[in-house]
Amino acid sequence: MKRYIFLLLISVIWGSQFYFAEKVLDKVNPITLATIRSTIGAITLAVVSVFMKNPTYKKERQRSNRTYILYVSIALLEAVIPFFLVAWGQQRVSSSIASILIGTTPIWTILIVSVVFRRKLSLYQTTGVVLGFIGIVFVFLPSLGDNLFSNGIAGFVALLIAGISYAGALVLMEYLPPEETVVSMRNVLYIASIMLIAITFIIENPTFATLSIEDIIDLLILGVFQTGIVYWFYNILIHIEGAVFASFSNYFIPLVGVFLGSLFLNEDVSLYMIIGLFIIIFSILISRQTKT
């Protein structure tokens, strides 16, 4: 029962991030938003780690170069690249579409495992990948008729790349050392924050004078819960049940995102989006089947 509670909790937290991001993106630039998320998330996990028993603390200096390379790689793939792409993409598409496209992460995970580790795809996995792309096409269709090179298409592509980036990070997280989960994700977010802060001041000129109290609360929610806490929970679930089971949370992210976008942001949900959503969910379910 514990694993299902974690799975549902992670799905709701991650699925709702698109709603909160949509509310602040007109006042905060994409890279700045990514920096705020990762920095607040890192601080949150640093505070949590202080109050937790960490038997591996004394071993931190003994970590190999391979471990630190993993931290940097995961920071890039899990935070730096997708945080920016999701925020940038959401300036061009609705939060509903964003959640659907990020929900394709398990499809990309299967492809990465197949290409990188030379694992042969089963018939179920191949069928799932094909159906997943068909679902993506259905999500694209309304915009394809308007202008193939519009900002909307650019947003779609950015979000798909973010999904691929998340998938790469998921694969790498399986190789993290068996230590306190909060420490691993704290270190990842530390590294991501340092990189993003530097990039922010080079590319953007962040100002926060126009932020209201409500905006600040939304940013805190994005940083504390939808970055720090959810990454901690996600890593816990990976250690308990493995990366495959943990990736099931992506099944529900589109449902949460579309529901919140339609209910609170008055976003239009077209028939194409609904069809695409269910094809994508079905494709992921099919890809997880095994021979009996």
Side-chain angles (χ1 to χ4, degrees):
M1 180 60 69
K2 181 180 179 180
R3 61 178 180 174
Y4 293 110
I5 294 175
F6 263 105
L7 188 69
L8 182 60
L9 189 59
I10 290 168
S11 302
V12 171
I13 295 175
W14 256 338
S16 62
Q17 69 175 308
F18 304 98
Y19 164 72
F20 287 99
E22 188 82 4
K23 292 175 66 181
V24 298
L25 275 170
D26 59 335
K27 297 182 180 179
V28 180
N29 291 324
I31 300 179
T32 301
L33 178 58
T35 303
I36 292 171
R37 286 189 60 177
S38 61
T39 303
I40 295 176
I43 294 172
T44 300
L45 294 187
V47 172
V48 171
S49 65
V50 169
F51 294 97
M52 293 185 64
K53 293 182 179 179
N54 183 12
T56 63
Y57 177 78
K58 295 181 180 179
K59 299 181 182 179
E60 290 211 30
R61 295 182 180 179
Q62 302 175 8
R63 293 195 183 109
S64 65
N65 290 333
R66 177 177 176 273
T67 300
Y68 288 105
I69 291 173
L70 272 175
Y71 284 152
V72 173
S73 300
I74 294 171
L76 284 169
L77 294 174
E78 185 69 24
V80 177
I81 294 173
F83 280 7
F84 165 70
L85 290 177
V86 169
W88 189 86
Q90 270 198 260
Q91 290 182 325
R92 291 154 178 81
V93 304
S94 68
S95 66
S96 299
I97 292 178
S99 64
I100 292 173
L101 295 176
I102 294 299
T104 62
T105 296
I107 298 173
W108 306 116
T109 304
I110 291 172
L111 289 175
I112 290 173
V113 168
S114 174
V115 173
V116 176
F117 297 99
R118 305 292 183 181
R119 297 178 190 172
K120 185 178 180 181
L121 293 178
S122 68
L123 178 61
Y124 289 115
Q125 291 173 325
T126 303
T127 303
V129 169
V130 173
L131 284 176
F133 278 108
I134 293 174
I136 292 170
V137 170
F138 267 91
V139 175
F140 270 66
L141 278 178
S143 296
L144 288 176
D146 297 331
N147 186 350
L148 183 61
F149 300 102
S150 67
N151 281 340
I153 296 301
F156 285 139
V157 173
L159 288 159
L160 283 178
I161 295 174
I164 296 171
S165 184
Y166 279 131
L170 176 62
V171 174
L172 291 179
M173 285 172 69
E174 294 189 46
Y175 295 91
L176 285 172
E179 61 182 10
E180 288 285 343
T181 52
V182 67
V183 172
S184 292
M185 297 319 298
R186 180 202 66 189
N187 293 344
V188 166
L189 288 176
Y190 273 164
I191 296 169
S193 299
I194 292 170
M195 289 188 284
L196 283 168
I197 289 172
I199 295 171
T200 298
F201 283 98
I202 293 172
I203 298 178
E204 296 179 350
N205 183 24
T207 57
F208 307 102
T210 60
L211 294 179
S212 65
I213 296 297
E214 183 180 356
D215 295 328
I216 294 173
I217 293 173
D218 290 335
L219 289 172
L220 286 173
I221 291 173
L222 280 166
V224 174
F225 297 100
Q226 294 164 346
T227 303
I229 298 299
V230 76
Y231 279 167
W232 175 29
F233 287 174
Y234 195 52
N235 208 6
I236 289 175
L237 190 59
I238 289 175
H239 279 76
I240 294 175
E241 295 293 337
V244 172
F245 183 83
S247 70
F248 287 179
S249 61
N250 291 278
Y251 294 173
F252 308 104
I253 287 175
L255 294 174
V256 176
V258 170
F259 173 75
L260 291 177
S262 175
L263 186 63
F264 296 109
L265 299 176
N266 298 318
E267 295 177 350
D268 293 330
V269 180
S270 68
L271 179 60
Y272 286 110
M273 286 176 58
I274 295 174
I275 293 174
L277 169 63
F278 282 101
I279 291 176
I280 289 171
I281 292 174
F282 183 67
S283 74
I284 298 172
L285 292 172
I286 286 292
S287 70
R288 294 300 185 185
Q289 297 300 308
T290 57
K291 294 181 180 179
T292 56

